[in-house]
Amino acid sequence: MNGKRHDRRDVELDRFFALARQASPDISAVERNFETRVMARIREGRERQEPWYAWAWRLAPVFLVLTLLLAGWSMFYSPVHPTDPVATLASGSQEVALLDYLTGE
């Protein structure tokens, strides 16, 4: 008895599947203005502004050049340091004098 019910359910299920395969889906709403909607979505993506950090990465070389120019200018045109850049980099007399003053020697 249980086997007959199971068979009958299978037949009904097969019939429903056959009806579903025969019916064509209604895609008229999707087809209408499809190209227009796709182009509008692409245009919207292009019009979005870029985040601020994208500009920061693009301007990083400019900031690097400005930093190097400022470092060079401060080494060569500072009235406090000697005119020789090697002497400026090698001299540690100011730090030694400060350390002697702080330690009391």
Side-chain angles (χ1 to χ4, degrees), residues 64-78 81-85 88-89:
L64 177 67
V65 168
L66 287 175
T67 304
L68 293 175
L69 288 174
L70 183 63
W73 178 77
S74 67
M75 283 182 65
F76 290 115
Y77 296 110
S78 177
H81 297 294
T83 57
D84 184 18
T88 303
L89 294 174

Side-chain angles (χ1 to χ4, degrees), residues 28-42:
S28 61
V30 177
E31 290 175 350
R32 187 177 335 126
N33 298 329
F34 177 73
E35 295 86 4
T36 307
R37 287 184 283 141
V38 169
M39 292 304 295
R41 185 171 289 181
I42 291 171

Side-chain angles (χ1 to χ4, degrees), residues 23-59:
S24 62
D26 182 23
I27 57 171
S28 61
V30 177
E31 290 175 350
R32 187 177 335 126
N33 298 329
F34 177 73
E35 295 86 4
T36 307
R37 287 184 283 141
V38 169
M39 292 304 295
R41 185 171 289 181
I42 291 171
R43 193 177 312 113
E44 177 185 331
R46 287 182 181 169
E47 290 175 354
R48 273 190 247 150
Q49 292 183 354
E50 294 182 0
W52 63 270
Y53 50 84
W55 279 103
W57 275 111
R58 289 181 185 158
L59 292 175

